[in-house]
Amino acid sequence: MKPITWLTCLSAIFSLALMAPAAAVEPIPTEAFARLPTLKSVKISPEGGKMLAHVQNGEHYSLKIFDYRDDMLPLYAIKEDEKFTLNRTFWGNNDRIVISVLFNGRRNGIDTSETRLLSMTPTGEDMSALFPVRFEDWIPQIQDDIVSYLPNDPDHILVQYGQPSEVWKVNVNKKKNHGRVRSTKKNISDWRADVHGNVMIGSGVIHNKTRKLVVKLATGKWKNISHRVADENTTFFIDGVSDQPDIFYVLSDHETETRALYTYNASTDQFVAKLYENLSVDVYGTIQDRNTGKALGAVFADDEGDIVWFQDSFIKQDLKQLARTFKGKNVSIASLSSDQNHYVVFIDDVDDPGYYILYDRVAKKAKQMPSQYTLLEGKTLGKIMSVEYPARDGLTIPAYITLPPGINALNDAKGLPFIVLPHGGPSSRDFLEFDYWTQFFASRGYGILQMNFRGSSGYGKEFKLAGSKQWGQAMQDDITDGTKWLIEKGYADKDRIALLGGSYGGYAALMGVAKEPDMYQCAVSFAGVTDLPGIIQNAKRYVNGKYRTRHIGNLWSDRKMLRANSPVNRADDIKVPVLLIHGTEDRSVNYRQSVKMHKALKKSGSPVTYIEQKNGDHHLSFHSHRLQFLVQSEKFLKTCIG
């Protein structure tokens, strides 16, 4: 597809070299997939004219600021390294940029993730920390938990931190004593505000067991409505504050199977009206007018995510116009200026990694940024299609199949070597979208099956609850049943099937080859959980950690189940080759989980390879680690499924 407007200088600005086209018989180079996406966190300045972005520079990202009115004139750049990464950046006002840096630390002998807030001008002058050491004689661990960007106050933002949490009004122009606007409230760890920046909602967990929820009424009094979240089997989530007194937007499934959007009157404790329900998938969120808070529409979680509009708006009309211009592509708004006349828009598709454009809605002009994966431009990628299959108990499992380039229909997929790739989380889901893992392996001739097993989010409460305390059990059976379905349909060669995944997906890969030693030829686990009691015990060291792991199991009452479904205790059952890859700075799943698995497999005599990524994290954030993962996985898979 041709862009509306080309900026011929962009390649030079971003230092993005294009690779010459490869011969048709040659596979796409691994580097084309391993390279970090070109841009992240693209934000337009409040008054328009300038933009900031995280721009990949090889191994890491750099924060770069540009004046796009002057032919993308670079104003300043900051490069991240192994010691810190750019967590988030945003415009405090038109003359001030706020930067959050992320790094690993330790507090009281416990591994932590730390963030710090810095502020500077767009040209890099007057850089300072917004929380100096002398502030209250301590440094908050997480400094970038933004409650409100205060659109009507360009000099301040609201930031929450601490346990219990409190909210501070932080001056973005300089470090100074900040003003507390919301003091701590017992058992409240999270505060949220309306579109005007008024703190209106507080939530938390009591003794790692029950949830607490309070809201602020028009009278100024706080009301405890914790009874609304007492039943874990029913969702009640306040998604926003409306433009009417005491009326909140709530996502709930109290009378529906899937999560619907309602208006809720907090003063009377009554649901007022159902705004939208989708019978198949959950509503994910509310689109609100940024000035009034009025609901404009709702986002729901189908294969690609979609919007239902409640009323006409310029955003709706502009998105429709852009969809007509970029026919067949997904169009989403990434950033919007204060006058709402300048956008950053992202354009992508299931087999197109996408690109950003700067859009002037008044002049109807656009400037295109480079592709997110420049080395994939002009390459034929694998077709992705939505499928479903029955689990052994009759539950329908939604899934996606990616086919090698050149195979355009499932009917043409016969006896392929297949990779079964369960997602991480596990309380998440896969979508019908571009994914560099799946496209890389498809380019090597493999079919890929991704399933949203029970316990995945987005498909209603019964589907979600069906995965509670089912690690290695019913959730694993859904993966096994998907593999059997591939074989029965003739899509997969039964003698060339591998399991591969990251985080929970890595756990599922290991459990799969333990429980079904004759079904799979090998397994790849990146940052996988291997010891369930260990992961629960470690989580208890963190705030609300026990509550967050409740759907895995209880250390005491579920001890037999947890041990039986820990891959580290099933090493003797694993007879096929295993590849373990883990980063030493992983703050989600400690790398010692893979170290223990490696030792157990070596002791049992099972064939195993362990690769430790120094300074690696849970997300393959560095280019060299992405490249190593793809190269080593491809090499390993060749030896076991060809």
Side-chain angles (χ1 to χ4, degrees), residues 65 75-78 97 99 119-128:
I65 301 97
L75 300 176
Y76 192 71
I78 299 175
I97 291 171
I99 307 166
S119 173
M120 70 177 189
T121 68
T123 53
E125 300 166 336
D126 191 27
M127 181 181 289
S128 60

Side-chain angles (χ1 to χ4, degrees), residues 427-447:
S427 297
S428 60
R429 59 160 292 183
D430 279 323
F431 288 91
L432 195 67
E433 61 185 359
F434 173 85
D435 177 80
Y436 81 95
W437 280 23
T438 57
Q439 288 294 350
F440 170 73
F441 292 118
S443 75
R444 271 46 186 170
Y446 302 113

Side-chain angles (χ1 to χ4, degrees), residues 30 129 163 221 250 287 298 329 454 484 504 536 589 613:
T30 306
Q163 292 294 335
K221 293 183 178 181
V250 170
I287 299 175
K329 300 292 185 180
R454 71 189 69 204
K484 290 180 178 179
Y504 175 84
I536 296 172
V589 178
Q613 295 184 324

Side-chain angles (χ1 to χ4, degrees), residues 64 67 96 111 124 134 184 207 237 278 310 325 346 359 361 424 426 451 550 553 563 579 601:
K64 292 189 177 182
D67 187 330
R96 207 75 190 176
D111 291 338
R134 67 177 181 274
T184 61
H207 303 310
F237 177 77
N278 187 292
F310 303 146
T325 302
F346 189 64
Y359 180 62
R361 65 182 301 266
M451 70 287 293
R550 67 196 185 282
R563 286 198 296 267
L579 173 62
L601 288 170

Side-chain angles (χ1 to χ4, degrees), residues 531-597:
D531 179 7
L532 296 186
I535 205 81
I536 296 172
Q537 186 66 48
N538 186 64
K540 290 174 62 179
R541 306 168 73 194
Y542 299 91
V543 175
N544 296 330
K546 183 178 178 181
Y547 183 79
R548 290 195 299 270
T549 60
R550 67 196 185 282
H551 290 301
I552 301 177
N554 182 279
L555 271 178
W556 177 250
S557 59
D558 298 318
R559 61 192 183 281
K560 291 183 179 179
M561 178 272 287
L562 294 172
R563 286 198 296 267
N565 289 288
S566 292
V568 73
N569 297 327
R570 303 288 300 267
D572 289 340
D573 298 325
I574 297 176
K575 307 301 181 185
V576 299
V578 169
L579 173 62
L580 304 169
I581 303 177
H582 215 132
T584 60
E585 296 299 322
D586 189 334
R587 286 299 190 262
S588 297
V589 178
N590 192 287
Y591 78 101
R592 292 180 182 85
Q593 289 261 327
S594 287
V595 171
K596 290 173 66 175
M597 190 72 210

Side-chain angles (χ1 to χ4, degrees), residues 480-499:
T480 301
D481 293 343
T483 307
K484 290 180 178 179
W485 175 80
L486 284 175
I487 297 170
E488 291 168 0
K489 289 291 185 179
Y491 304 143
D493 180 343
K494 67 179 181 62
D495 296 320
R496 291 193 295 166
I497 302 177
L499 268 169

